[in-house]
Amino acid sequence: MRPSVPARVGSWIVALLVGLVYGVAGTVAHAYAIGWFPLGLILAVIGSAALLLAVRLLTSDRWATLATGSGMMISTLVFSGSGPGGSVVVPQTGLAVVWTFAVPILVALAVAWPDRVRAAA
């Protein structure tokens, strides 16, 4: 049985909001490094991939996964620009470029991943 249209739209809105939160957290934390080791970037990529995978597997809905990923990409885009006072949250560094490209790649992989096929009984 398929969920009703209002329930699906509501889940997409919640997925978008959760994606926004994860995107902000990853965008702010990706620059953290211990010496040469980019711990923040690795944790941000793992956390984002885990969220996208969880949404995709638990809902079996590409649209919910796309909404989550859209939230991540929107927050990354917003925080990557300069603010009204000229301050920049994400300076143009190698880590920032990797984070900026990692998010859409993760979203594309999660959304395009084939559906699980259930064995016929």
Side-chain angles (χ1 to χ4, degrees):
M1 183 167 145
R2 274 189 90 93
S4 66
V5 173
R8 290 187 73 193
V9 171
S11 70
W12 298 338
I13 292 169
V14 170
L16 178 75
L17 294 174
V18 171
L20 285 169
V21 170
Y22 264 73
V24 169
T27 301
V28 170
H30 83 276
Y32 181 74
I34 297 177
W36 57 269
F37 188 70
L39 182 64
L41 178 64
I42 291 171
L43 291 177
V45 169
I46 290 172
S48 297
L51 174 67
L52 290 166
L53 181 66
V55 169
R56 180 75 166 101
L57 291 175
L58 292 174
T59 64
S60 297
D61 185 7
R62 293 179 197 273
W63 292 102
T65 308
L66 184 61
T68 306
S70 296
M72 289 179 184
M73 290 187 288
I74 289 168
S75 61
T76 301
L77 176 70
V78 168
F79 280 94
S80 294
S82 40
S87 63
V88 177
V89 175
V90 182
Q92 190 172 357
T93 63
L95 291 178
V97 171
V98 170
W99 172 247
T100 302
F101 284 110
V103 173
I105 290 170
L106 289 172
V107 172
L109 287 173
V111 171
W113 198 262
D115 290 330
R116 294 182 294 168
V117 178
R118 295 190 176 156

